[in-house]
Amino acid sequence: MTTVRVVEFTDPGCPWAFSAEPFRLRLKWTFGDQLAWERRMVVLAEDEQEYVDKGLTPEVLAPGMAMIAQRHGMPIVTEQRDRMAGTAPACRAVVGARLHDAEHEDALLRELRLQAMGGRHLDEDATLRAAAEAAGVDPDAAVRWAREDEDVRLATEEDKAAARHPLPSALALSHKLAPWSGGLRYTCPSLEVSLDGTTTTAPGFQPFESYDVVLANLAPDLERRPAPESPQEALAWAGRALATQEVAVLLGVTRDEAREQLAGVADERSMGTDALWTLR
């Protein structure tokens, strides 16, 4: 079986990465184990002050979050926050799971995303603990990875450095990258996709069709699974709550159509601009 390596550069605090989750889920549904996913943390900001120094304040953030939520349909709390929060502690928690509890890495990243998009601060221990508990991770361990584990810190620094040295094919699309003191870095999410020594990139937020084209060119023999036949099938496969937009993209229907189908088979939990759904 052909196996394509996908390295995803992301950050739990990025609303663009959260808004791209429907496309990542559709890729995983469509291609399954033919894609071998790896995660690298971009680390958008070490601390609150780094955001402020870049001109990103709560007053600037709020309308941007509202625009992203309205345009891309994922549930985001858009009210103005009381302060900015660095993402580095949450990034280290995810890397800690990768090193010490790999089975729960994906779940922890997901729960940290939900905490961040739900309006909570990723630099607070209470947030790390809440996400860890929801993901099935020892909360004490998550805080230790975020604050004290030297191996985790070094691995996170390696992720951060890799994100700041994008491949030449990504540099050709510089508008999809972000500046830093040493040049340009990947924005979230950015993918490096490799097979048999050939690597291509999909930098920054992309529609699903961009990823589909990359894979079709790199590995045209990949088998494709048809879309789920129902929201029940999509939710059972995911094994966790999904946003309305995530179900819509998996099924290939509009968000309104997905919401109508979900209403009869799943329980709704409101969050910000929309909702998350859990199979009954």
Side-chain angles (χ1 to χ4, degrees), residues 64-82:
M65 296 284 266
M67 178 275 292
I68 294 169
Q70 189 278 329
R71 184 176 296 176
H72 299 293
M74 288 292 279
I76 298 174
V77 170
T78 58
E79 286 79 12
Q80 183 172 308
R81 305 179 186 203
D82 61 338

Side-chain angles (χ1 to χ4, degrees), residues 165-187:
H165 292 87
L167 295 178
S169 58
L171 291 170
L173 298 173
S174 58
H175 63 287
K176 287 290 189 178
L177 306 175
W180 68 289
S181 60
L184 295 172
R185 65 159 174 82
Y186 282 126
T187 53

